[in-house]
């Protein structure tokens, strides 16, 4: 089954404790992206990757890191989480980032930072 | 850069009635306008999209219209059913954007009353 998986689905952590949210897709997609979803703000892009070893900032990259060492994986790293990073996070992938292809979203990771 | 506004933020309609969600965009160069549906506990999923060379597109009970002059596009759902209850997001993309990213509306929570 073609899908985007994220882990964990729920995470409660404390300020300053490094964490990683994993994202994996099995569709051989070139483009991958991370979004955060907050009430009233819709989806805001954090980082995206056009292909392996090619990543770039989205609209709200502060406090986040990403890497794309393999085509299928695109982990989101919070080196020192803060309460304002409490949010619902989505990973998405698409066949290409330069053409208007459908984005496939993972099920989301709800992060709470206390 | 592009900005997308979506209205209303919440829409409640009687089962069987029609629902209309509207979005406006700011960049006249935008040429791709998808609509995504997010069911509770899931990631958004593409339901219909339209390109700037088309004025209207239909797929069974859903349709999207685009008015390039006024820079707005709308999602129309006819004969609404309980399974239409969800959050709907519009988005726009401009080919001139070096980030190749979609710009998202804030979302509309659609409630279908039995």
């Amino acid at each position: 089954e073609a899908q985007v998986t994220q882990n964990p689905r729920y995470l409660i952590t404390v300020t300053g404790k490094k964490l990683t949210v994993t994202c994996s897709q099995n569709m051989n997609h070139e483009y991958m992206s991370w979004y955060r979803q907050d009430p009233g703000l819709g989806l805001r892009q954090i980082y995206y990757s056009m292909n392996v070893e090619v990543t770039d900032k989205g609209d709200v990259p502060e406090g986040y890191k990403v890497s794309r060492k393999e085509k299928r994986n695109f982990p989101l790293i919070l080196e020192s989480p803060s309460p304002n990073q409490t949010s619902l996070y989505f990973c998405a992938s698409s066949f290409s980032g330069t053409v208007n292809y459908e984005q496939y979203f993972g099920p989301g990771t709800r992060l709470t930072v206390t | 850069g592009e900005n997308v506004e979506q209205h209303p933020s919440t829409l409640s309609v009687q089962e069987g009635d029609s629902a209309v969600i509207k979005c406006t965009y700011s960049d006249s160069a935008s040429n791709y306008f998808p609509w995504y549906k997010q069911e509770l506990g899931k990631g958004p999923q593409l339901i219909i999209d339209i390109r700037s060379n088309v004025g209207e597109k239909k797929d069974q009970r859903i349709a999207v219209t685009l008015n390039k002059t006024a820079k707005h596009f709308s999602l129309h759902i006819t004969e609404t059913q309980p399974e239409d209850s969800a959050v709907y997001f519009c988005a726009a993309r401009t080919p001139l954007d070096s980030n190749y990213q979609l710009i998202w509306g804030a979302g509309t929570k659609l409630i279908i009353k039995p």
Side-chain angles (χ1 to χ4, degrees):
Chain A
E1 179 190 356
Q3 61 182 349
V4 178
T5 56
Q6 294 178 228
N7 282 292
R9 294 289 314 276
Y10 303 90
L11 180 59
I12 301 174
T13 190
V14 296
T15 300
K17 186 176 181 182
K18 181 180 179 179
L19 66 92
T20 299
V21 184
T22 64
C23 173
S24 183
Q25 51 91 5
N26 63 0
M27 296 168 278
N28 201 36
H29 285 170
E30 289 187 349
Y31 180 87
M32 298 186 74
S33 178
W34 275 103
Y35 295 93
R36 61 177 290 173
Q37 182 180 0
D38 301 289
L41 297 178
L43 293 162
R44 293 182 293 167
Q45 191 177 52
I46 303 170
Y47 269 94
Y48 67 97
S49 170
M50 300 292 279
N51 214 324
V52 177
E53 301 291 1
V54 182
T55 63
D56 208 345
K57 297 177 181 178
D59 293 323
V60 288
E62 293 78 22
Y64 305 95
K65 284 177 57 178
V66 294
S67 68
R68 186 93 180 272
K69 293 182 170 52
E70 304 166 284
K71 198 170 186 179
R72 63 183 295 129
N73 295 325
F74 190 44
L76 179 69
I77 303 157
L78 285 72
E79 295 268 2
S80 183
S82 62
N84 65 10
Q85 293 179 299
T86 292
S87 187
L88 180 58
Y89 291 86
F90 288 101
C91 179
S93 74
S94 178
F95 180 78
S96 168
T98 58
V99 185
N100 295 321
Y101 287 104
E102 174 179 359
Q103 291 198 26
Y104 292 83
F105 284 80
T109 295
R110 185 166 292 281
L111 172 65
T112 302
V113 184
T114 61
Chain B
E2 176 64 283
N3 182 54
V4 176
E5 294 189 359
Q6 183 172 347
H7 299 281
S9 57
T10 304
L11 177 61
S12 183
V13 302
Q14 206 70 38
E15 182 178 350
D17 289 350
S18 295
V20 181
I21 302 169
K22 299 180 180 180
C23 288
T24 60
Y25 60 99
S26 59
D27 190 338
S28 57
S30 289
N31 65 353
Y32 176 63
F33 308 92
W35 285 89
Y36 281 74
K37 174 184 180 182
Q38 184 181 20
E39 297 178 345
L40 197 62
K42 297 183 179 181
Q45 185 173 11
L46 179 70
I47 55 172
I48 196 167
D49 57 13
I50 192 167
R51 286 161 172 77
S52 58
N53 58 346
V54 176
E56 182 176 3
K57 184 177 179 180
K58 291 184 72 174
D59 182 4
Q60 299 182 331
R61 295 188 297 107
I62 62 172
V64 57
T65 59
L66 172 65
N67 183 326
K68 288 189 294 182
T69 303
K71 289 189 284 187
H72 68 70
F73 56 111
S74 300
L75 178 71
H76 304 254
I77 305 174
T78 59
E79 301 174 8
T80 52
Q81 300 170 4
E83 54 264 36
D84 295 329
S85 292
V87 178
Y88 291 81
F89 290 98
C90 65
R93 184 178 189 177
T94 168
L96 301 180
D97 189 330
S98 60
N99 285 348
Y100 301 104
Q101 64 176 284
L102 286 171
I103 306 300
W104 298 81
T108 296
K109 183 177 183 179
L110 176 62
I111 301 167
I112 307 301
K113 296 181 291 185

